[in-house]
Amino acid sequence: MADLNAMLAWTFTQEIDVPKSVDDLLVPGEVAQIAYKTVRDTAVVTNKRFIISDKQGLTGKKVEVYTIPFKSIIMYSSENAGTFDLNTELELWTTLGRFKLNLAKKVDIRKLDKIIAEAIL
């Protein structure tokens, strides 16, 4: 499982406007609800999944897109930041394994919590 955790290691640094480029990836009935800046990329949360763009190479022209459907989430936990913590954590248990998403302290973990809960419950 270490390979999955290493591969799926993203940090959401701040909430941003949903990029127009995600429109080409949405299926009928899917709505983009929130987006986050990552170190080099963006993550969009829809009513059905996470869509995470991962720019690669020196120029960033090559982009890999990861999709994590909410229907694959079996359980999740969220942890808000304490006084001395730099970030909050969202841990997902999926049909493929378990991994964590890190969120900067200024990102509202409870807002993301609610979007996930509405989608999977």
Side-chain angles (χ1 to χ4, degrees):
M1 193 50 54
D3 291 342
L4 181 63
N5 285 325
M7 186 174 75
L8 302 178
W10 297 290
T11 298
F12 297 177
T13 58
Q14 67 184 41
E15 189 175 328
I16 60 171
D17 292 335
V18 175
K20 290 289 181 198
S21 59
V22 79
D23 291 346
D24 293 337
L25 300 173
L26 301 179
V27 299
E30 186 173 21
V31 178
Q33 296 185 323
I34 196 167
Y36 299 98
K37 173 95 177 86
T38 64
V39 175
R40 284 186 66 182
D41 315 304
T42 58
V44 176
V45 183
T46 75
N47 59 323
K48 297 182 181 287
R49 60 184 164 156
F50 286 97
I51 301 171
I52 303 172
S53 299
D54 184 13
K55 292 180 184 171
Q56 301 176 351
L58 294 174
T59 63
K61 288 184 179 180
K62 181 178 178 182
V63 178
E64 187 167 6
V65 177
Y66 293 90
T67 294
I68 304 168
F70 286 144
K71 67 182 180 182
S72 73
I73 298 173
I74 300 164
M75 181 177 96
Y76 74 98
S77 68
S78 61
E79 176 182 290
N80 64 319
T83 304
F84 300 107
D85 294 326
L86 297 176
N87 60 29
T88 63
E89 293 179 350
L90 181 68
E91 192 163 5
L92 304 171
W93 283 262
T94 71
T95 53
L96 291 176
R98 177 177 60 117
F99 62 94
K100 287 184 183 180
L101 296 174
N102 295 305
L103 291 81
K105 197 172 189 174
K106 62 185 172 188
V107 174
D108 185 354
I109 185 74
R110 297 301 167 224
K111 188 175 186 178
L112 183 54
D113 226 349
K114 187 173 181 179
I115 291 170
I116 295 168
E118 287 175 346
I120 69 172
L121 298 179

